[in-house]
Amino acid sequence: SLGDFRKLGRMGGVTLGFFLFTTMMALTIGLVLTNLIEPGALLSDTDRAILLGSFTASSVMSNAAEAPSMLDQLVSIVPTNPFGSLARGEMLQIIFFATMIGIAFTLMETKKAKVAVSLFESLNDAMVVLVHVAMKLAPFGVAALLFEVVGNTGLGVLIALGAYGGVVILGLLLHITITYMPVVKFYAGLPFLGFIRAIRSALVLAFSTSSSSATLPVTMEACESNLKVNGEVTSFVLPIGATVNMDGTALYQGVAAIFIAQIYGIDLSLGDQATIVLSATMASVGAAGVPGAGMLTLAMVLAAVGVPVQGVALIIGVDRILDMFRTTTNVVGDSTATVLVAKIQGNPIGVVSPEEDAADPTAGMEGRLDDVQPNPVDLDSE
Ligand code: ASP
């Protein structure tokens, strides 16, 4: 829907620059906090023995990716078989191919391209409706997940890992306040709480599904109808953001790497910490927007600084809970990028007012399904 694909260059540059900058900020915050608070040193020796003993390398570890080289990662973005990539859920490859097809549509005769474009539009709308239905079930699912985690892990270990989890959550909150709030407030000129309220349906879904990809349609809708961001901007920034911009994931990986090193009693030099910043930036880009993806690519970060990769097993127990918080942060980051890019493009944005919101009960803050009235199709007249 960009129409003129030359706009991709300008928008792409701003978007990727912002993504990179905020990821670095997130990692810096995470590393400073973990070095100051030292959650790994807070563990008692008994807790340490329980943790190291009970979590040996699990099946999750065998899935952990071997660190691919930067060049390999770049080259693999071009899919040899786009349908294979679709089937395997390889997001970067899918996005690359979709971008190419999209560019082709803008170069074609408009009349011919319109057929396919409106097909994709209605498929997208159908996905939004499906996600809204799933959202109704989310509270029950979350309760069941939490029971499972506490039941399997036991409260003692949860408390021991609490310090580590606390540092991750504190870091995420700081990142939202230090990095995103000034951009939303001073650059985009939106009240920060109003901004959060406008995207809250996406945040609730991100928190309960731990998946930025599953949240994507709702994030797009929230940014478009509640923040009045142009569809051109949301349909460019948000799909890329949901895949490559994971500040929450990067921050968590930084904290986890140092926490695991602290448990093993490994001292990390300043150079090692710089390596963590670089590798966690790539690992967060490489992580898919699905639950637990950040924990799999964490193996890359650990390998880069010589911390035993088996250490991931130590934090599996609380990962699901932290995933909820980091995914929510990821979605705040993507939405912040959207209002920033819209502002730079000179598009008008603003938090929808209660009156405007009430004027159209099928869109806006209430979410689509809540107020949708059955709309029977009159078959005779069709
Ligand atoms: N679940 C996260 C997301 O979808 C990725 C991760 O950190 O595991 O954004």
Side-chain angles (χ1 to χ4, degrees), residues 25 36 63 65 70 86 120 154 182 188 227 232 239 246 258 313 320 358 363:
M25 278 294 286
L36 284 180
N63 290 335
M70 180 115 139
L86 267 175
F120 284 118
L227 292 170
E232 265 184 18
M246 299 198 181
I258 299 193
R320 182 64 210 189

Side-chain angles (χ1 to χ4, degrees), residues 47-61:
D47 281 340
R48 189 172 307 215
I50 295 176
L51 277 177
L52 290 174
S54 64
F55 291 106
T56 47
S58 74
S59 56
V60 176
M61 291 311 306

Side-chain angles (χ1 to χ4, degrees), residues 206 209-215 242 245-246 248-250 252-253 284 287-297 319 322-324 326-328 330-331 334:
T209 59
S210 292
S211 166
S212 352
S213 293
T215 311
N245 183 42
M246 299 198 181
T249 302
Y252 138 85
Q253 289 179 329
S284 67
V290 297
M295 192 178 61
L296 294 182
T297 56
D319 198 74
L322 296 181
D323 201 358
M324 299 164 125
R326 61 186 194 246
T327 309
T328 309
N330 292 344
V331 171
D334 297 339

